[in-house]
Amino acid sequence: EEQLLESGGGLAQPGGSLRLSCSASGFTFSTYGVSWVRQAPGKGLEWVSGISGDGRTTSYAGSVRGRFTISRDNSKNTLFLQMSSLRAEDTAMYYCAKSLFGGLISWGQGALVTVSS
Amino acid sequence: QSALTQPRSVSGSPGQSVTISCTGTSSDVGAYDYVSWNQQHPGKAPKLLIFDVSRRPSGVPDRFSASKSGNTASLTISGLQAEDEADYYCCSYTGTYTWVFGGGTKLTVL
């Protein structure tokens, strides 16, 4: 069974940093792209960042470009999201998702990030 | 990249059918046959219902169907059931490992 498990969420101060991890199992991690998607409280889904299976191609939403960095360690089946210069509007549940071009196939349960002083 | 446009809410009675539209542009929905639909119940993670415009993953009932014409995609739920009450999000690939979601549609089963 495919599983994605996020960790690293918590409380961060405005301007601070936080690193999310997503541990994958049940599929050949290195052959799939993976994305981060967030959902602010009471709001809709927002795609945040994506990375190819080999890690060579990365993309970001305009709202996080230059502040967030996506990366992966295929030897450990783990995806990362380094978040810096955090803002109150980054407060959200962050999901990782196994990604095919045609859709985000499998989702984790999410990690809550709260940015507040 | 602007969000895809979905109606904020739709409703229907048990047994009826409802259709949710998702309008994008020639850069996203119109450019690729890579539209998907996700269902999200309150407090839960999203779940994939449809991928590649109209394909259902294993385990998704055939009451859920979808299509695309030009820059607009549609999800139809037939034989509405109480457990279908949820939020529904369309999603389109936009190139280079980038996706965009719709704003979401709340389905109420009357």
Side-chain angles (χ1 to χ4, degrees), chain B residues 6-10 104-107:
Chain B
Q6 298 181 231
R8 278 188 171 267
S9 64
V10 297
T105 299
K106 180 177 179 59
L107 169 63

Side-chain angles (χ1 to χ4, degrees), chain A residues 40-85:
Chain A
K43 301 297 184 181
L45 300 175
E46 179 189 15
W47 176 85
V48 171
S49 182
I51 188 169
S52 59
D54 61 7
R56 293 180 180 179
T57 303
T58 59
S59 296
Y60 300 91
S63 57
V64 306
R65 189 175 294 119
R67 301 188 299 120
F68 290 11
T69 301
I70 191 171
S71 62
R72 62 191 298 161
D73 183 342
N74 285 343
S75 70
K76 296 182 179 178
N77 290 348
T78 304
L79 172 73
F80 303 101
L81 185 68
Q82 178 68 47
M83 305 183 291
S84 58
S85 302

